[in-house]
Amino acid sequence: MIGPRRMMMALAFPLALSGCVTGADYSRNEAGFISVANKTASVEAKETVWIQNQNQARSAGAQVKSLLARTKPLDVETAVQIALLNNKGLQAGYADLGDSAADAWQSTMFINPTVSIGTTGIGTPELQAFKTIEGMITTNILALATKSRDVAIADTRFRQAQLTAAVRTLQVAADTRRAWIGAVAAWENVGQLQSAQATADAASELAAKLGETGAMTKGAQAREHVFVAEIAGETAKARLAARLAKEELTRLMGLWGSELDYQVPNSLPPLPKSVAKRDTIEAEALRNRIDLQVAKLELEATARSYGLTEATRYVTDLEILTGFETEREIEDDEKKTRTTPQVELEFAIPIFDTGKARMRKAEVAYMRAANLLAEKAVNVRSEARSAYEAYRSNYDIARHYRNNVVPLRAKVEEESLLTYNGMITNTFELLTDTRDKINSILLSVNAKRDFWLAEANLAPAIYGGGATNASAETEVAAASGSGGGGGH
């Protein structure tokens, strides 16, 4: 006999304690994602999905194809919705949420006890006359004592993971919005350059005919021809920049294969009649920025970890061993059996390591988290102010180009053409005025693009998920500086 009753009682000890804690909230496949979807919907008013099986993948794919088929050309809101449904990097980010849920679920479970059974007296008849059977169950009672703290820390990390997933979702939405603006502005530049090239081609052809009659010198003809060649080069550069900008949008939307046959508009929307006033944008950002909430939870989790370290400063492992020892003797052909229960307590004596180093490390971690939170709060206020300042100023700049610079350049070219027809202005002056008008139009397009980018950055400044795509934004701005039109 091995004493099954005592064995079962010892095993039931940690299991009975674990019965009061449940991991049901963490064990669901979409644990925590509803919170992510709700936060995203409150900012972007878009649907988000966490794809975890083939049926969900097929459903999302069909939805993407439907959006592409019925929205031609592709508008910005549809592009953002497609990205939220189809961006694979975002789906990988949601897997981190699943990892955190699994960790939180694991924290609700106690460490499995260790069972050991041994015997002596196997072998010769002399040894079998005196046989001892030992059984022992070991469990870490310190883990039982700190269970509630461990669960609280894991739950804080889980809530932090939910907010981080929401930030990633908003970041994909913001990046897609900016990429759409960059792509459309680039194609608008191509269209403007193509119009200029048509005018330059006509002027070059006229110059060639005048040269044949001797009415135009070879130098004047060369000026006409080089202008056409330069416009052609600028148009080619602008078309390349537009294609690259569209590829950036394609990557964010996760499209490939037949899905690449989509088009974006030829021009950005006109400027609004007025700009929105954000007198309390700093307060809005402090109240709503999700990444600031993540930093607060980081401080909370660090504080809880600090408390756990303090509670286990001297003793990090405390184990209780329960079991039995059964002895069997054979004397005068009579078997005698005696079972003795055993209880042992095992822990490390803090002679050399008193926990001071671990306490210091926990203190430093807490101070780091506190300072990072303070820095984040300062940065959030500054980013909100900067975003509104860029929004307001870029609107004024774009409106100035639209209302003043471009009309004046058009008037100058018109007057120059009249004087040219009256043989008062020479060809070189007319070409200069035409070139200046083209440059002003391109600057106006870029100013309008900068305004819409600034408008797209307002929501991330208030809710989070922006300002991490600065390099890509710079590339789009540089690319759109040259120019884009048909076949996109």
Side-chain angles (χ1 to χ4, degrees):
M1 295 290 293
I2 309 178
R5 181 175 297 178
R6 286 189 173 86
M7 175 85 74
M8 293 302 297
M9 290 177 62
L11 282 170
F13 172 64
L15 298 178
L17 288 174
S18 66
C20 61
V21 182
T22 176
D25 293 337
Y26 309 121
S27 61
R28 296 190 302 270
N29 286 341
E30 294 191 356
F33 183 72
I34 294 177
S35 174
V36 175
N38 290 339
K39 283 185 177 294
T40 303
S42 66
V43 179
E44 281 289 344
K46 299 288 186 296
E47 179 187 357
T48 53
V49 294
W50 183 5
I51 300 172
Q52 301 185 63
N53 55 57
Q54 288 296 325
N55 289 335
Q56 292 174 335
R58 282 193 291 269
S59 177
Q63 194 171 351
V64 168
K65 290 183 183 299
S66 175
L67 289 170
L68 288 171
R70 70 169 184 256
T71 312
K72 295 182 179 180
L74 185 69
D75 61 70
V76 63
E77 299 302 330
T78 304
V80 172
Q81 180 60 82
I82 290 174
L84 294 182
L85 292 172
N86 205 42
N87 186 285
K88 300 304 184 288
L90 184 59
Q91 293 298 319
Y94 292 155
D96 293 340
L97 177 62
D99 282 345
S100 181
D103 289 340
W105 185 12
Q106 185 68 49
S107 72
T108 64
M109 304 177 187
F110 286 94
I111 300 174
N112 291 328
T114 302
V115 179
S116 60
I117 299 176
T119 182
T120 61
I122 298 176
T124 63
E126 292 79 6
L127 289 175
Q128 290 182 2
F130 182 82
K131 181 181 291 187
T132 300
I133 299 176
E134 295 182 354
M136 194 66 66
I137 296 176
T138 306
T139 187
N140 191 330
I141 61 173
L142 187 63
L144 304 179
T146 59
K147 191 65 182 173
S148 60
R149 296 187 188 223
D150 290 332
V151 172
I153 292 171
D155 183 71
T156 303
R157 292 297 184 192
F158 178 56
R159 288 184 286 131
Q160 192 177 28
Q162 292 177 58
L163 294 177
T164 300
V167 170
R168 287 183 178 180
T169 305
L170 295 179
Q171 182 178 330
V172 169
D175 288 348
T176 305
R177 197 176 296 276
R178 285 189 288 254
W180 184 92
I181 293 169
V184 174
W187 283 112
E188 187 171 359
N189 275 337
V190 171
Q192 295 295 340
L193 286 169
Q194 285 177 334
S195 298
Q197 188 172 19
T199 303
D201 286 340
S204 178
E205 185 178 346
L206 176 61
K209 291 181 179 180
L210 291 174
E212 292 173 0
T213 62
M216 180 176 284
T217 65
K218 293 191 179 211
Q221 292 179 60
R223 290 190 185 96
E224 293 277 6
H225 298 329
V226 75
F227 180 54
V228 173
E230 289 175 348
I231 288 291
E234 291 298 317
T235 303
K237 287 171 59 179
R239 187 174 284 108
L240 171 62
R243 287 170 179 163
L244 294 178
K246 186 184 175 186
E247 284 298 333
E248 171 66 16
L249 176 61
T250 299
R251 287 194 294 272
L252 286 165
M253 293 192 296
L255 302 180
W256 65 289
S258 61
E259 299 170 340
L260 299 180
D261 187 22
Y262 72 93
Q263 294 183 348
V264 295
N266 286 320
S267 61
L268 288 169
L271 295 175
K273 295 182 179 180
S274 60
V275 293
K277 292 185 177 181
R278 292 280 190 174
D279 298 330
T280 60
I281 191 169
E282 291 182 51
E284 289 182 69
L286 287 175
R287 185 170 58 252
N288 297 310
R289 277 285 287 264
I290 300 177
D291 51 346
L292 185 61
Q293 298 172 30
V294 172
K296 290 178 180 177
L297 285 177
E298 178 64 30
L299 182 63
E300 179 184 333
T302 306
R304 291 183 184 278
S305 297
Y306 177 82
L308 181 60
T309 301
E310 188 175 28
T312 60
R313 173 178 178 180
Y314 296 106
V315 180
T316 57
D317 293 300
L318 182 61
E319 294 185 339
I320 185 170
L321 293 81
T322 62
F324 59 89
E325 181 180 69
T326 299
E327 296 181 358
R328 187 189 67 177
E329 298 180 13
I330 301 176
E331 190 174 323
D332 299 329
D333 295 330
E334 182 180 352
K335 295 180 181 179
K336 295 181 180 180
T337 302
R338 181 176 60 204
T339 299
T340 306
Q342 291 182 338
V343 178
E344 297 180 17
L345 192 65
E346 183 179 293
F347 60 93
I349 302 175
I351 298 176
F352 305 108
D353 181 8
T354 59
K356 288 184 178 180
R358 289 185 290 110
M359 285 298 298
R360 178 56 181 164
K361 189 172 182 178
E363 290 170 1
V364 170
Y366 180 81
M367 289 188 296
R368 182 192 299 115
N371 282 300
L372 287 176
L373 176 59
E375 180 192 34
K376 174 63 72 174
V378 171
N379 291 347
V380 161
R381 294 170 67 97
S382 176
E383 289 167 10
R385 292 193 303 269
S386 297
Y388 184 73
E389 182 64 30
Y391 169 72
R392 189 69 182 80
S393 298
N394 278 305
Y395 177 77
D396 292 337
I397 293 169
R399 189 174 59 173
H400 173 70
Y401 273 99
R402 183 194 64 184
N403 296 343
N404 300 312
V405 177
V406 172
L408 286 173
R409 282 296 180 191
K411 184 65 175 176
V412 168
E413 184 192 38
E414 180 183 346
E415 293 298 323
S416 180
L417 183 60
L418 290 175
T419 56
Y420 175 76
N421 291 333
M423 303 188 71
I424 300 174
T425 302
N426 59 38
T427 305
F428 181 72
E429 291 176 348
L430 177 61
L431 287 176
T432 301
D433 293 335
T434 302
R435 184 189 299 273
D436 290 340
K437 177 192 172 185
I438 293 170
N439 289 334
S440 295
I441 290 175
L442 294 179
L443 288 173
S444 178
V445 171
N446 290 340
K448 183 169 63 170
R449 176 208 64 207
D450 291 342
F451 164 74
W452 285 114
L453 285 174
E455 195 269 346
N457 287 332
L458 270 184
I462 297 172
Y463 299 99
T468 58
N469 203 32
S471 59
E473 205 171 301
T474 303
E475 291 174 6
V476 170
S480 301
S482 337
H488 42 282

